[in-house]
Amino acid sequence: MKARIIKFRLAGALVTALGVYLMIIGYGQTWSLSIATVVLIFGIAIWMMATPKDYNSMTDMAAMIEMDRPRKIEEFYEAYKNVWTPLGSAWLGKFYTMKQTALVFGPDARGQYIYFWIQKNGDIGYIGYSFIEHFIKKQVTKPLIPMPEDTSLSIPGHLSYHSDLLMFQSELRENIERFIKTGQVLRFSQTKPSQIYTFTEDFKLTGQHFDLEDSEGNLVYEIDSTVPLKTFHIYDTSHNEVFRMTKELIHVLATYRFYLYGEPYGVLKEKFALVRDKFAMELPEGKLEMSEYAGSIGHNYKVTLNGRMIGAIMDNMDITVGNVFFDNAFLIIYDTRYLPQMAALAVMAARELARDRDGGLSNRR
């Protein structure tokens, strides 16, 4: 790993320096600046590929795992071949795009699958996601536990499907890392969303209004804010205030105060991050964290309490499912006790996304 760090850091620094040089000599010329920008991006990417921590901070669609010693993919197959996962048990397969044999989970009915492969020297492994089934050249082994029956054909199932797939990818990474350290394979979670909730959004001259509805179209909460859009109130169907959040205006990074039934609940603070938005809040129950993660559609956030998944937020979707068009946000709730908090977090995420589109941090006020 030390040799890898030196090699990638040096290569990244050289390519970045070349980008800076091209930017200086081509100052004022559009084509030269465009080339210099691309070179700079490549230089930074190479630098970030030096360690698993840096690499994994850039993306959720793939993950790098460091081995404790040179390992072979067959070790992981023996460990996971009889283990249930949301995509069935693991099997070995060959790909057209790589020489190494890979460990494969899936594909599902949509052709999506998760795969894990190890570099030739056996010291670094990668977890990836693909929806192109034709990349698979052949099956070396057969899955011993088949894919669970596809239950995602309903609208709620379809909406939660992408989140569930990426959550499994994240869980698989943690599982493999633990296996490398301890030789033990943990059971994969079989939790399913308890409910799906969708938002409608309406801007008015006097403020902003959201309706939160369940999967049957029944009104659950009304969320209102008057101009200026500083405080949002969440009301139940009897118009009793359940939750309230207020944005503090003097902070560089977004900060919100939350109130549950009129009582102080916690302060949600944005964490400095170069790639993905992250927020955290200390609660009486523990630490709540909201992190942006990559997805194939929309902006996606996972919400955890003491590391346990309590929900996910999908924003700016623009998708059509069964003749129903979703152009706002929806919530995937794993623990309905935290529905008011999740509703507040979804509104906050939509607010921050809108501000980022209008100018980023320079426009926060």
Side-chain angles (χ1 to χ4, degrees), residues 333-359:
I333 304 298
Y334 294 88
D335 190 334
T336 53
R337 293 176 298 173
Y338 295 96
L339 178 58
Q341 293 89 328
M342 289 295 299
L345 290 171
V347 172
M348 185 276 296
R351 192 178 194 274
E352 293 304 313
L353 283 171
R355 287 185 177 275
D356 289 344
R357 288 193 295 266
D358 291 339

mmCIF file of all heavy atoms in Angstrom, residues 333-359:
data_model
loop_
_atom_site.group_PDB
_atom_site.id
_atom_site.type_symbol
_atom_site.label_atom_id
_atom_site.label_comp_id
_atom_site.label_asym_id
_atom_site.label_seq_id
_atom_site.Cartn_x
_atom_site.Cartn_y
_atom_site.Cartn_z
ATOM 1 N N ILE A 333 -39.264 5.080 4.367
ATOM 2 C CA ILE A 333 -39.233 5.068 5.823
ATOM 3 C C ILE A 333 -39.076 3.635 6.339
ATOM 4 O O ILE A 333 -39.900 2.768 6.046
ATOM 5 C CB ILE A 333 -40.507 5.702 6.420
ATOM 6 C CG1 ILE A 333 -40.694 7.121 5.879
ATOM 7 C CG2 ILE A 333 -40.429 5.704 7.944
ATOM 8 C CD1 ILE A 333 -39.578 8.075 6.241
ATOM 9 N N TYR A 334 -38.034 3.399 7.109
ATOM 10 C CA TYR A 334 -37.807 2.105 7.732
ATOM 11 C C TYR A 334 -38.299 2.082 9.175
ATOM 12 O O TYR A 334 -38.506 1.015 9.739
ATOM 13 C CB TYR A 334 -36.320 1.731 7.679
ATOM 14 C CG TYR A 334 -35.799 1.495 6.279
ATOM 15 C CD1 TYR A 334 -35.313 2.546 5.518
ATOM 16 C CD2 TYR A 334 -35.811 0.220 5.718
ATOM 17 C CE1 TYR A 334 -34.835 2.332 4.232
ATOM 18 C CE2 TYR A 334 -35.342 0.001 4.434
ATOM 19 C CZ TYR A 334 -34.853 1.061 3.692
ATOM 20 O OH TYR A 334 -34.392 0.844 2.419
ATOM 21 N N ASP A 335 -38.435 3.253 9.771
ATOM 22 C CA ASP A 335 -38.917 3.359 11.148
ATOM 23 C C ASP A 335 -39.889 4.540 11.199
ATOM 24 O O ASP A 335 -39.481 5.701 11.196
ATOM 25 C CB ASP A 335 -37.753 3.582 12.109
ATOM 26 C CG ASP A 335 -38.155 3.453 13.580
ATOM 27 O OD1 ASP A 335 -39.339 3.680 13.886
ATOM 28 O OD2 ASP A 335 -37.283 3.143 14.409
ATOM 29 N N THR A 336 -41.191 4.247 11.240
ATOM 30 C CA THR A 336 -42.205 5.305 11.134
ATOM 31 C C THR A 336 -42.211 6.258 12.327
ATOM 32 O O THR A 336 -42.815 7.321 12.255
ATOM 33 C CB THR A 336 -43.607 4.675 10.998
ATOM 34 O OG1 THR A 336 -43.831 3.748 12.073
ATOM 35 C CG2 THR A 336 -43.728 3.938 9.670
ATOM 36 N N ARG A 337 -41.528 5.905 13.419
ATOM 37 C CA ARG A 337 -41.456 6.818 14.553
ATOM 38 C C ARG A 337 -40.736 8.107 14.180
ATOM 39 O O ARG A 337 -40.926 9.144 14.815
ATOM 40 C CB ARG A 337 -40.729 6.162 15.729
ATOM 41 C CG ARG A 337 -41.468 4.990 16.367
ATOM 42 C CD ARG A 337 -40.618 4.359 17.440
ATOM 43 N NE ARG A 337 -39.369 3.823 16.893
ATOM 44 C CZ ARG A 337 -38.385 3.327 17.645
ATOM 45 N NH1 ARG A 337 -38.502 3.310 18.967
ATOM 46 N NH2 ARG A 337 -37.281 2.855 17.071
ATOM 47 N N TYR A 338 -39.920 8.049 13.137
ATOM 48 C CA TYR A 338 -39.120 9.207 12.750
ATOM 49 C C TYR A 338 -39.638 9.867 11.471
ATOM 50 O O TYR A 338 -38.905 10.576 10.790
ATOM 51 C CB TYR A 338 -37.655 8.793 12.572
ATOM 52 C CG TYR A 338 -37.023 8.347 13.870
ATOM 53 C CD1 TYR A 338 -36.969 6.996 14.203
ATOM 54 C CD2 TYR A 338 -36.536 9.276 14.787
ATOM 55 C CE1 TYR A 338 -36.421 6.581 15.411
ATOM 56 C CE2 TYR A 338 -35.990 8.874 16.000
ATOM 57 C CZ TYR A 338 -35.933 7.528 16.307
ATOM 58 O OH TYR A 338 -35.396 7.121 17.513
ATOM 59 N N LEU A 339 -40.902 9.656 11.158
ATOM 60 C CA LEU A 339 -41.480 10.278 9.974
ATOM 61 C C LEU A 339 -41.434 11.809 10.035
ATOM 62 O O LEU A 339 -41.069 12.453 9.041
ATOM 63 C CB LEU A 339 -42.911 9.784 9.755
ATOM 64 C CG LEU A 339 -43.650 10.394 8.553
ATOM 65 C CD1 LEU A 339 -42.887 10.141 7.260
ATOM 66 C CD2 LEU A 339 -45.068 9.830 8.455
ATOM 67 N N PRO A 340 -41.806 12.469 11.151
ATOM 68 C CA PRO A 340 -41.716 13.939 11.179
ATOM 69 C C PRO A 340 -40.292 14.441 10.931
ATOM 70 O O PRO A 340 -40.085 15.415 10.204
ATOM 71 C CB PRO A 340 -42.192 14.300 12.585
ATOM 72 C CG PRO A 340 -43.008 13.133 13.034
ATOM 73 C CD PRO A 340 -42.373 11.944 12.416
ATOM 74 N N GLN A 341 -39.315 13.774 11.538
ATOM 75 C CA GLN A 341 -37.931 14.180 11.344
ATOM 76 C C GLN A 341 -37.517 14.005 9.888
ATOM 77 O O GLN A 341 -36.836 14.860 9.312
ATOM 78 C CB GLN A 341 -37.003 13.359 12.248
ATOM 79 C CG GLN A 341 -37.180 13.630 13.735
ATOM 80 C CD GLN A 341 -38.232 12.749 14.386
ATOM 81 O OE1 GLN A 341 -39.224 12.367 13.760
ATOM 82 N NE2 GLN A 341 -38.020 12.422 15.655
ATOM 83 N N MET A 342 -37.937 12.888 9.274
ATOM 84 C CA MET A 342 -37.596 12.628 7.880
ATOM 85 C C MET A 342 -38.255 13.654 6.962
ATOM 86 O O MET A 342 -37.649 14.101 5.976
ATOM 87 C CB MET A 342 -38.030 11.212 7.491
ATOM 88 C CG MET A 342 -37.202 10.104 8.126
ATOM 89 S SD MET A 342 -35.482 10.096 7.574
ATOM 90 C CE MET A 342 -35.705 9.830 5.815
ATOM 91 N N ALA A 343 -39.489 14.034 7.269
ATOM 92 C CA ALA A 343 -40.171 15.054 6.469
ATOM 93 C C ALA A 343 -39.414 16.376 6.542
ATOM 94 O O ALA A 343 -39.226 17.064 5.528
ATOM 95 C CB ALA A 343 -41.607 15.228 6.959
ATOM 96 N N ALA A 344 -38.964 16.752 7.756
ATOM 97 C CA ALA A 344 -38.203 17.990 7.918
ATOM 98 C C ALA A 344 -36.875 17.919 7.164
ATOM 99 O O ALA A 344 -36.468 18.892 6.504
ATOM 100 C CB ALA A 344 -37.960 18.260 9.400
ATOM 101 N N LEU A 345 -36.207 16.788 7.220
ATOM 102 C CA LEU A 345 -34.936 16.627 6.523
ATOM 103 C C LEU A 345 -35.128 16.706 5.008
ATOM 104 O O LEU A 345 -34.286 17.260 4.290
ATOM 105 C CB LEU A 345 -34.290 15.297 6.897
ATOM 106 C CG LEU A 345 -33.746 15.190 8.326
ATOM 107 C CD1 LEU A 345 -33.329 13.761 8.630
ATOM 108 C CD2 LEU A 345 -32.573 16.136 8.534
ATOM 109 N N ALA A 346 -36.237 16.161 4.511
ATOM 110 C CA ALA A 346 -36.502 16.213 3.076
ATOM 111 C C ALA A 346 -36.715 17.645 2.597
ATOM 112 O O ALA A 346 -36.225 18.050 1.548
ATOM 113 C CB ALA A 346 -37.722 15.354 2.739
ATOM 114 N N VAL A 347 -37.464 18.422 3.380
ATOM 115 C CA VAL A 347 -37.682 19.831 3.033
ATOM 116 C C VAL A 347 -36.361 20.591 3.077
ATOM 117 O O VAL A 347 -36.055 21.407 2.203
ATOM 118 C CB VAL A 347 -38.706 20.467 3.981
ATOM 119 C CG1 VAL A 347 -38.790 21.973 3.759
ATOM 120 C CG2 VAL A 347 -40.077 19.833 3.781
ATOM 121 N N MET A 348 -35.561 20.317 4.102
ATOM 122 C CA MET A 348 -34.263 20.964 4.219
ATOM 123 C C MET A 348 -33.373 20.616 3.036
ATOM 124 O O MET A 348 -32.699 21.486 2.461
ATOM 125 C CB MET A 348 -33.602 20.543 5.531
ATOM 126 C CG MET A 348 -32.278 21.242 5.830
ATOM 127 S SD MET A 348 -30.838 20.484 5.052
ATOM 128 C CE MET A 348 -30.820 18.904 5.852
ATOM 129 N N ALA A 349 -33.360 19.336 2.617
ATOM 130 C CA ALA A 349 -32.545 18.922 1.485
ATOM 131 C C ALA A 349 -32.990 19.628 0.202
ATOM 132 O O ALA A 349 -32.160 20.092 -0.586
ATOM 133 C CB ALA A 349 -32.633 17.403 1.308
ATOM 134 N N ALA A 350 -34.312 19.729 -0.003
ATOM 135 C CA ALA A 350 -34.827 20.425 -1.186
ATOM 136 C C ALA A 350 -34.425 21.896 -1.160
ATOM 137 O O ALA A 350 -34.070 22.477 -2.197
ATOM 138 C CB ALA A 350 -36.350 20.291 -1.242
ATOM 139 N N ARG A 351 -34.459 22.494 0.010
ATOM 140 C CA ARG A 351 -34.088 23.902 0.163
ATOM 141 C C ARG A 351 -32.613 24.116 -0.169
ATOM 142 O O ARG A 351 -32.251 25.050 -0.898
ATOM 143 C CB ARG A 351 -34.376 24.334 1.601
ATOM 144 C CG ARG A 351 -34.314 25.836 1.856
ATOM 145 C CD ARG A 351 -34.671 26.099 3.313
ATOM 146 N NE ARG A 351 -34.955 27.503 3.565
ATOM 147 C CZ ARG A 351 -34.019 28.409 3.857
ATOM 148 N NH1 ARG A 351 -32.756 28.050 3.887
ATOM 149 N NH2 ARG A 351 -34.354 29.667 4.085
ATOM 150 N N GLU A 352 -31.748 23.240 0.336
ATOM 151 C CA GLU A 352 -30.319 23.391 0.092
ATOM 152 C C GLU A 352 -29.967 23.102 -1.361
ATOM 153 O O GLU A 352 -29.097 23.757 -1.941
ATOM 154 C CB GLU A 352 -29.535 22.464 1.023
ATOM 155 C CG GLU A 352 -29.643 22.840 2.496
ATOM 156 C CD GLU A 352 -29.210 24.279 2.751
ATOM 157 O OE1 GLU A 352 -28.150 24.687 2.236
ATOM 158 O OE2 GLU A 352 -29.942 25.004 3.458
ATOM 159 N N LEU A 353 -30.648 22.129 -1.981
ATOM 160 C CA LEU A 353 -30.412 21.851 -3.387
ATOM 161 C C LEU A 353 -30.789 23.045 -4.250
ATOM 162 O O LEU A 353 -30.088 23.395 -5.202
ATOM 163 C CB LEU A 353 -31.202 20.615 -3.829
ATOM 164 C CG LEU A 353 -30.651 19.256 -3.419
ATOM 165 C CD1 LEU A 353 -31.655 18.154 -3.747
ATOM 166 C CD2 LEU A 353 -29.325 18.986 -4.122
ATOM 167 N N ALA A 354 -31.908 23.683 -3.912
ATOM 168 C CA ALA A 354 -32.337 24.866 -4.656
ATOM 169 C C ALA A 354 -31.320 25.988 -4.509
ATOM 170 O O ALA A 354 -30.990 26.684 -5.478
ATOM 171 C CB ALA A 354 -33.710 25.324 -4.171
ATOM 172 N N ARG A 355 -30.782 26.166 -3.306
ATOM 173 C CA ARG A 355 -29.784 27.211 -3.092
ATOM 174 C C ARG A 355 -28.495 26.901 -3.848
ATOM 175 O O ARG A 355 -27.850 27.792 -4.393
ATOM 176 C CB ARG A 355 -29.508 27.362 -1.593
ATOM 177 C CG ARG A 355 -30.647 28.041 -0.852
ATOM 178 C CD ARG A 355 -30.275 28.289 0.599
ATOM 179 N NE ARG A 355 -31.352 29.007 1.274
ATOM 180 C CZ ARG A 355 -31.489 30.329 1.254
ATOM 181 N NH1 ARG A 355 -30.633 31.060 0.579
ATOM 182 N NH2 ARG A 355 -32.488 30.907 1.889
ATOM 183 N N ASP A 356 -28.094 25.609 -3.869
ATOM 184 C CA ASP A 356 -26.893 25.232 -4.618
ATOM 185 C C ASP A 356 -27.050 25.519 -6.095
ATOM 186 O O ASP A 356 -26.124 25.979 -6.761
ATOM 187 C CB ASP A 356 -26.590 23.742 -4.402
ATOM 188 C CG ASP A 356 -26.077 23.449 -2.992
ATOM 189 O OD1 ASP A 356 -25.678 24.419 -2.312
ATOM 190 O OD2 ASP A 356 -26.099 22.280 -2.587
ATOM 191 N N ARG A 357 -28.239 25.245 -6.632
ATOM 192 C CA ARG A 357 -28.479 25.528 -8.051
ATOM 193 C C ARG A 357 -28.435 27.022 -8.338
ATOM 194 O O ARG A 357 -28.093 27.460 -9.434
ATOM 195 C CB ARG A 357 -29.840 24.958 -8.475
ATOM 196 C CG ARG A 357 -29.875 23.448 -8.575
ATOM 197 C CD ARG A 357 -31.139 22.975 -9.289
ATOM 198 N NE ARG A 357 -32.329 23.296 -8.521
ATOM 199 C CZ ARG A 357 -32.917 22.459 -7.670
ATOM 200 N NH1 ARG A 357 -32.376 21.264 -7.450
ATOM 201 N NH2 ARG A 357 -34.007 22.801 -7.016
ATOM 202 N N ASP A 358 -28.779 27.820 -7.327
ATOM 203 C CA ASP A 358 -28.823 29.275 -7.516
ATOM 204 C C ASP A 358 -27.525 29.978 -7.169
ATOM 205 O O ASP A 358 -27.446 31.194 -7.185
ATOM 206 C CB ASP A 358 -29.934 29.885 -6.648
ATOM 207 C CG ASP A 358 -31.311 29.492 -7.140
ATOM 208 O OD1 ASP A 358 -31.407 29.111 -8.313
ATOM 209 O OD2 ASP A 358 -32.261 29.560 -6.343
ATOM 210 N N GLY A 359 -26.481 29.187 -6.833
ATOM 211 C CA GLY A 359 -25.223 29.869 -6.568
ATOM 212 C C GLY A 359 -24.366 29.281 -5.485
ATOM 213 O O GLY A 359 -23.329 29.828 -5.142
#
